[in-house]
């Protein structure tokens, strides 16, 4: 069945460091891919998404490119801030009719000044 | 807009007790969902609803019940709490059911069953 694998956390970085959180998926067909972020004490919110191969999603300085050949959707940011400390979830969904969204386990990021 | 709100934020239950987790959204979304998140795991879908009066099971529905009498509200009922139901529960809503639509999440309810 469909699945999403993320790098294990927690990840601790110094402010202004480069961030990569790896995400790979297993799915038939052409799923849509998402990154959600959960800030402390809040619900998940969509960070970015990509709906077809080679699409790049971007938001708030974060980017991820849909790589079908490597079944990956790695999240990157060039210079993290303390305010980026959160849990990041990679997710996939298939088709134009409802299919359950498959979430990865989440990766906790802490950015220290 | 408040978005998706959930109550309570925290709750401790004894085995065999029952409770209702409340969820309300003010975005006029037809589609609503309940997920649970266990430590180190991704979110698992418990139930979802495509509109008032219509609900369906997700991946892990056993031990839970839902109802959807209005567009705004989607309560989740635990009838006989068990330790296996210790988890964080998230309610979400979306504009449509399509696979590439964003879901909007509440802040979660942390439930402990002892």
């Amino acid at each position: 069945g469909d699945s999403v694998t993320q790098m294990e956390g927690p990840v601790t970085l110094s402010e202004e460091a480069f961030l990569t959180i790896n995400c790979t998926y297993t799915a038939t067909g052409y799923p849509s891919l998402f990154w959600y972020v959960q800030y402390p004490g809040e619900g998940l919110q969509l960070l970015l998404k990509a709906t077809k191969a080679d699409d790049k999603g971007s938001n708030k300085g974060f980017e991820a490119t849909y790589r079908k050949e490597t079944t990956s959707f790695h999240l990157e940011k060039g210079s993290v801030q303390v305010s980026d400390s959160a849990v990041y979830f990679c997710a996939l969904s298939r088709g134009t009719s409802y299919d359950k969204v498959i979430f990865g386990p989440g990766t906790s990021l802490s950015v220290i000044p | 807009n408040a978005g998706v709100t959930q109550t309570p934020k925290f709750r401790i239950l004894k085995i065999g007790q029952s409770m209702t987790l409340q969820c309300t959204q003010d975005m006029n979304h037809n589609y609503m969902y309940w997920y649970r998140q266990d430590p180190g795991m991704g979110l698992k879908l418990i139930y979802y609803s495509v509109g008032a009066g219509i609900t369906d099971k997700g991946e892990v529905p056993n031990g839970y019940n839902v109802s959807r009498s209005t567009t705004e509200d989607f309560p989740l009922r635990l009838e006989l709490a068990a330790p296996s139901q210790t988890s964080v529960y998230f309610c979400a809503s979306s504009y449509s059911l399509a696979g590439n639509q964003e879901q909007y999440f509440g802040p979660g309810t942390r439930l402990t069953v002892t």
Side-chain angles (χ1 to χ4, degrees):
Chain A
D2 296 351
S3 66
V4 174
T5 303
Q6 287 181 238
M7 62 186 290
E8 290 189 17
V11 174
T12 302
L13 293 174
S14 297
E15 207 165 21
E16 299 184 2
F18 185 85
L19 168 71
T20 299
I21 300 178
N22 290 338
C23 171
T24 57
Y25 68 91
T26 302
T28 56
Y30 299 89
S32 295
L33 301 174
F34 307 81
W35 276 102
Y36 280 84
V37 58
Q38 183 184 23
Y39 298 106
E42 299 182 12
L44 283 73
Q45 55 186 275
L46 182 66
L47 180 60
L48 53 85
K49 69 179 184 182
T51 57
K52 61 183 188 293
D54 299 325
D55 266 2
K56 178 184 284 188
S58 61
N59 186 23
K60 299 182 181 180
F62 291 88
E63 292 183 340
T65 300
Y66 187 163
R67 301 285 188 201
K68 186 152 180 69
E69 63 277 12
T70 55
T71 63
S72 65
F73 193 54
H74 304 322
L75 182 68
E76 296 182 335
K77 187 176 186 184
S79 175
V80 294
Q81 306 300 312
V82 172
S83 57
D84 294 325
S85 297
V87 181
Y88 293 82
F89 294 89
C90 186
L92 71 82
S93 183
R94 287 192 288 113
T96 55
S97 60
Y98 182 72
D99 203 349
K100 63 178 185 282
V101 179
I102 308 294
F103 287 88
T107 301
S108 176
L109 170 67
S110 293
V111 180
I112 55 177
Chain B
N1 282 353
V4 179
T5 57
Q6 292 182 238
T7 57
K9 289 191 182 340
F10 304 94
R11 184 72 186 267
I12 299 174
L13 282 182
K14 295 190 185 303
I15 294 171
Q17 287 185 321
S18 61
M19 76 165 294
T20 299
L21 283 65
Q22 301 292 345
C23 175
T24 300
Q25 54 91 10
D26 63 0
M27 295 172 282
N28 204 33
H29 287 166
N30 280 326
Y31 306 96
M32 296 187 74
Y33 316 85
W34 273 106
Y35 293 91
R36 59 177 286 172
Q37 182 189 23
D38 300 322
M41 308 288 286
L43 280 68
K44 301 290 187 185
L45 184 66
I46 305 172
Y47 272 95
Y48 67 99
S49 170
V50 302
I54 306 170
T55 63
D56 206 350
K57 296 177 181 178
E59 286 182 271
V60 290
N62 291 344
Y64 306 94
N65 279 300
V66 294
S67 59
R68 184 95 182 271
S69 57
T70 67
T71 299
E72 294 79 18
D73 299 310
F74 190 40
L76 177 72
R77 179 83 177 162
L78 283 70
E79 290 294 351
L80 290 171
S84 60
Q85 293 177 305
T86 294
S87 191
V88 180
Y89 292 84
F90 291 100
C91 179
S93 71
S94 64
Y95 174 71
S96 76
L97 208 54
N100 64 353
Q101 291 299 311
E102 175 180 2
Q103 293 184 64
Y104 295 82
F105 285 81
T109 294
R110 185 174 296 274
L111 175 67
T112 302
V113 182
T114 62

